[in-house]
Amino acid sequence: KAGVTQTPRYLIKTRGQQVTLSCSPISGHRSVSWYQQTPGQGLQFLFEYFSETQRNKGNFPGRFSGRQFSNSRSEMNVSTLELGDSALYLCASSWDRLNTEAFFGQGTRLTVV
Amino acid sequence: DQQVKQNSPSLSVQEGRISILNCDYTNSMFDYFLWYKKYPAEGPTFLISISSIKDKNEDGRFTVFLNKSAKHLSLHIVPSQPGDSAVYFCAASDNAGNMLTFGGGTRLMVKP
């Protein structure tokens, strides 16, 4: 059974640009959530989607957005990139609620220059 | 306001001995707790979890203990192996279960 797949693995963008990251959950999983990991702030929750609906959102500015497709694949978008957006972005999938063993992808390392 | 805290940023143990990683939480609505292991530049790997209706859960070398009255949980690894060297995160969710709140992590180093 394939795990959670995130693409791309690495990305370098310039301040002011926008970026889209992709996450394919484990087959059969309907919940996809996104986290940002930085050295200073640790792992912070961005948002969670279930059956194409955002169920919960963390404390991030509106520049961070996401969506989920009917096949449960999810994308997150960051517009008007800032240097502080440089981070490892992690996607997690679970069958339903995240407290039923959420499985993480390898992440996308975003560097903003 | 850190709702989940791992007060020890690092821990060093000898191979074969017990590793004990600790985690404290403040939100009494948390009712499910998970431990993850993470290597650099990789996603967290699920290790073990515990529901608030239990006080102990075992899986092989890993045991998680939950003390609800103290709002404290711990992960025991016995015996510790050099391959266990990684950063360990505890995470918590409430009964809505659609977000995880992570602690800051503890770097475990197991010396041969």
Side-chain angles (χ1 to χ4, degrees):
Chain A
K1 198 175 190 181
V4 179
T5 304
Q6 290 188 248
T7 56
R9 287 293 310 277
Y10 303 94
L11 207 48
I12 299 175
K13 289 286 189 178
T14 305
R15 270 182 304 174
Q17 287 187 311
Q18 68 97 25
V19 67
T20 299
L21 312 181
S22 180
C23 172
S24 293
I26 291 171
S27 178
H29 283 190
R30 299 184 297 169
S31 169
V32 174
S33 57
W34 290 87
Y35 292 82
Q36 181 196 65
Q37 185 185 23
T38 58
Q41 299 295 320
L43 274 152
Q44 291 192 293
F45 173 77
L46 281 155
F47 27 67
E48 187 254 357
Y49 288 87
F50 181 85
S51 293
E52 302 178 67
T53 300
Q54 187 182 89
R55 287 197 296 198
N56 204 356
K57 189 177 191 306
N59 189 25
F60 278 82
R63 300 185 296 108
F64 292 81
S65 63
R67 59 178 175 169
Q68 186 181 33
F69 302 95
S70 59
N71 62 358
S72 293
R73 190 178 71 85
S74 177
E75 290 181 345
M76 69 163 278
N77 185 78
V78 188
S79 62
T80 321
L81 284 165
E82 301 177 358
L83 295 179
D85 297 333
S86 295
L88 181 67
Y89 289 88
L90 292 159
C91 163
S93 82
S94 65
W95 184 78
D96 184 359
R97 304 290 180 177
L98 290 174
N99 56 10
T100 55
E101 293 187 25
F103 295 90
F104 282 82
Q106 291 191 295
T108 295
R109 169 69 65 184
L110 171 65
T111 303
V112 182
V113 297
Chain B
D1 175 30
Q2 260 191 303
Q3 298 187 67
V4 179
K5 287 185 183 180
Q6 294 176 254
N7 290 318
S8 298
S10 64
L11 174 68
S12 181
V13 300
Q14 208 66 37
E15 180 179 6
R17 305 295 290 269
I18 184 172
S19 295
I20 300 176
L21 297 99
N22 294 303
C23 180
D24 297 295
Y25 63 96
T26 57
N27 188 340
S28 57
M29 299 302 292
F30 288 148
D31 66 351
Y32 198 85
F33 304 89
L34 308 91
W35 283 94
Y36 286 88
K37 174 181 177 180
K38 189 179 183 303
Y39 296 113
E42 291 187 10
T45 301
F46 172 79
L47 280 174
I48 192 169
S49 62
I50 188 166
S51 163
S52 61
I53 62 173
K54 295 185 174 181
D55 55 17
K56 179 182 174 181
N57 189 26
E58 282 183 83
D59 185 1
R61 297 187 297 116
F62 302 93
T63 303
V64 56
F65 295 92
L66 175 63
N67 182 334
K68 281 187 65 179
S69 60
K71 293 191 176 66
H72 176 84
L73 64 154
S74 61
L75 174 69
H76 293 210
I77 306 174
V78 183
S80 300
Q81 300 172 352
D84 296 329
S85 297
V87 178
Y88 288 77
F89 290 93
C90 68
S93 73
D94 60 21
N95 58 13
N98 49 27
M99 67 173 283
L100 294 175
T101 301
F102 282 86
T106 296
R107 181 176 302 278
L108 173 65
M109 292 164 283
V110 180
K111 298 178 181 178

